[in-house]
Amino acid sequence: MPKRRTSKSLAAHREALEYFPGGVNSPVRAFGRVGGNPPFLARGKGAVVWDLDGNSYLDFVGSWGPLILGHAHPKVIRAIESAARKGTTFGAPTTAETALAREIRRRMPSLERMRFVSSGTEAAMSALRLARGTTGRPKILKFEGCYHGHADSLLVKAGSGALTFGAPDSAGVLEDVARQTLVAQYNDLESAAGLFARHGREIACVLVEPIAGNMGVVAPLPEFLPGLRALCDRNGALLIFDEVITGFRVHPGGAQALYGVRPDLTCLGKIVGGGLPLGVYGGRADLLAQISPEGPVYQAGTLSGNPLAVAAGLAVLKELTPAAYKKLERLSRKFGEALRGEIEDSGAEATLVRVGSLLTLYFSRGPIRGFADVMRSDAGRFKRFFQGALSRGVYLAPSPYEACFVSLAHGEAQIEKAAKAMGEALREVR
Ligand code: PMP
């Protein structure tokens, strides 16, 4: 395995540990699941990031999804600079917010009206309150391995960070709260139907990642999302799609357009803020009319609809033309095919799942249909594979239960180079 310089990142991590739990401000960044110390990143440009020690990496994390145009895209930087010159926050309405809302609704017509917040967590938490507030029902139904941010009701069998640390239920979440969260199996309609049979009149909503991304990528089976729509309709529950990852990534209109299923409410984050903190929840106009100040469901935010985030989001959406989506699919397909070739050549027991520009390499034989399949992936081999890729300049998500993201800044030559490096890493851990 090639050696990298690490002394400066190591020193930075040591000092950060004095201030931050794990030396980080979000748990998976600490590299707990893959060992070693996290490189401290100094800058990024396009598909490349550089750490403090001067190592460069081809980045397939992209800040966990927002950077569909890559790092420091000139048009996004210009939009942020221009907005900043006019004032960074007002706590008062601006026309830029309306312009972004118009662009969102044009692409995702199910968001008839919406509310801007500052993170995906806030979007999901608020959508949940709206669902409970409008149906008058207490329970929610989610799926094991799906993550919707860290609100109390949603930190139950919640994938990624929680999975990575082997603590699916966080300390500090009251049992009384967790009890209102029913958990079904992803891609298993019967498990959801069974919960409806028992608790149907108490269930306010079904909340789902239409393409799971937080236990690694898992594609929905053809009948899964339409089946959830029908279950909700039969039982008077709302269907909420958490498109924080998939929104504007898998299709201009998100996973709901890709699969042709219209949710009642949608949560957005990541790409919609262009790399700055912005989340959105929205959907049926009659539901949004229940949000304060029009209705009785309270929700607010000092920095909601922040001018810099809105400007960045608008700049990114403008670049996401039909041609851009074609290019992203071409690059992603090429990456997927090259990786499948490497898996085959190396003889590694591994399965690649790809949905558009979202990919996860599982260290097990497929198919990968749900949480139980994901859990069969060999985390020990992933750890060694991850370090092998990193040492060859490929920066992957530092957990076996995460998605990797291809961006429009990845060039064909970079994709080929990354696949080759990952192939070498695969051969080391076969
Ligand atoms: N929903 C999904 C599907 C996510 O992937 C995430 C974050 N990874 C969230 C919600 C929470 O978003 P945030 O981290 O911005 O709070």
Side-chain angles (χ1 to χ4, degrees):
M1 196 189 289
K3 273 248 169 283
R4 314 176 271 129
R5 295 176 298 277
T6 56
S7 59
K8 288 185 181 162
S9 279
L10 209 59
H13 184 59
R14 274 204 202 101
E15 189 181 7
L17 273 168
E18 291 180 28
Y19 298 98
F20 307 121
V24 291
N25 285 302
S26 196
V28 184
R29 295 179 198 172
F31 273 40
R33 200 69 207 220
V34 291
N37 291 89
F40 270 53
L41 298 187
R43 76 195 162 91
K45 180 74 193 154
V48 181
V49 288
W50 286 265
D51 71 13
L52 290 184
D53 292 282
N55 303 299
S56 68
Y57 308 91
L58 272 171
D59 180 18
F60 290 96
V61 179
S63 189
W64 303 91
L67 300 183
I68 194 165
L69 303 183
H71 294 269
H73 189 282
K75 288 196 179 155
V76 180
I77 300 299
R78 216 172 303 138
I80 295 170
E81 278 174 356
S82 149
R85 251 179 252 116
K86 293 186 215 145
T88 57
T89 178
F90 304 108
T94 61
T95 54
E97 290 157 82
T98 310
L100 180 57
R102 203 183 296 126
E103 282 302 310
I104 293 170
R105 190 171 70 182
R106 193 165 70 74
R107 290 168 165 83
M108 281 190 192
S110 81
L111 281 90
E112 295 166 353
R113 298 179 82 203
M114 64 199 84
R115 174 58 68 78
F116 290 172
V117 292
S118 299
S119 68
T121 292
E122 247 189 294
M125 180 183 89
S126 309
L128 215 60
R129 182 178 303 143
L130 179 55
R132 284 173 163 151
T134 51
T135 59
R137 298 173 173 190
K139 292 197 191 309
I140 61 166
L141 194 160
K142 73 179 284 293
F143 295 88
E144 183 162 27
C146 283
Y147 178 69
H148 306 287
H150 63 83
D152 281 5
S153 310
L154 294 170
L155 268 190
V156 180
K157 311 253 183 203
S160 68
L163 263 182
T164 295
F165 295 96
D169 302 322
S170 167
V173 173
L174 298 180
E175 257 178 47
D176 281 353
V177 173
R179 214 175 296 126
Q180 303 299 334
T181 303
L182 307 172
V183 181
Q185 291 304 309
Y186 192 82
N187 269 335
D188 179 352
L189 274 177
E190 272 177 30
S191 72
L195 289 170
F196 267 108
R198 252 171 291 149
H199 306 279
R201 282 172 201 282
E202 286 182 285
I203 299 175
C205 63
V206 170
L207 175 58
V208 66
E209 289 180 74
I211 298 163
N214 282 289
M215 51 178 146
V217 179
V218 183
L221 293 172
E223 70 277 11
F224 184 55
L225 300 173
L228 292 181
R229 179 70 272 176
L231 265 178
C232 286
D233 291 345
R234 269 205 300 281
N235 290 279
L238 301 179
L239 179 62
I240 309 180
F241 277 4
D242 181 344
E243 297 227 39
V244 166
I245 286 181
T246 55
F248 309 118
R249 177 170 284 279
V250 297
H251 186 283
Q256 55 196 269
L258 187 64
Y259 298 113
V261 176
R262 190 177 173 112
D264 300 295
L265 293 170
T266 298
C267 306
L268 298 171
K270 301 196 190 253
I271 290 174
V272 78
L276 270 71
L278 182 72
V280 180
Y281 67 102
R284 275 169 39 196
D286 62 311
L287 297 174
L288 271 287
Q290 299 305 310
I291 295 286
S292 184
E294 288 182 23
V297 179
Y298 192 74
Q299 184 274 311
T302 301
L303 291 173
S304 292
N306 173 262
L308 304 193
V310 165
L314 258 173
V316 169
L317 288 191
K318 273 194 198 136
E319 296 303 304
L320 294 178
T321 58
Y325 283 102
K326 269 200 197 123
K327 179 179 170 195
L328 188 62
E329 177 58 24
R330 195 178 65 241
L331 288 169
S332 306
R333 189 185 312 123
K334 187 178 171 104
F335 194 34
E337 281 167 4
L339 286 175
R340 287 209 173 91
E342 295 291 344
I343 292 171
E344 218 162 275
D345 284 357
S346 67
E349 191 173 300
T351 305
L352 182 80
V353 174
R354 176 180 82 87
V355 183
S357 55
L358 299 167
L359 303 97
T360 299
L361 189 65
Y362 296 95
F363 282 87
S364 60
R365 298 232 183 269
I368 308 288
R369 285 162 307 199
F371 188 74
D373 297 330
V374 167
M375 286 295 101
R376 279 193 279 276
S377 180
D378 183 337
R381 272 198 300 147
F382 176 84
K383 179 175 175 172
R384 283 179 286 133
F385 164 72
F386 173 88
Q387 290 296 347
L390 191 70
S391 71
R392 291 174 174 84
V394 179
Y395 190 91
L396 303 171
S399 158
Y401 311 114
E402 298 282 1
C404 290
F405 299 87
V406 180
S407 82
L408 284 158
H410 286 91
E412 303 226 351
Q414 288 171 318
I415 293 275
E416 275 168 28
K417 197 171 142 202
K420 197 160 157 282
M422 288 165 77
E424 286 171 18
L426 265 179
R427 281 177 194 88
E428 282 177 355
V429 302
R430 206 162 54 87

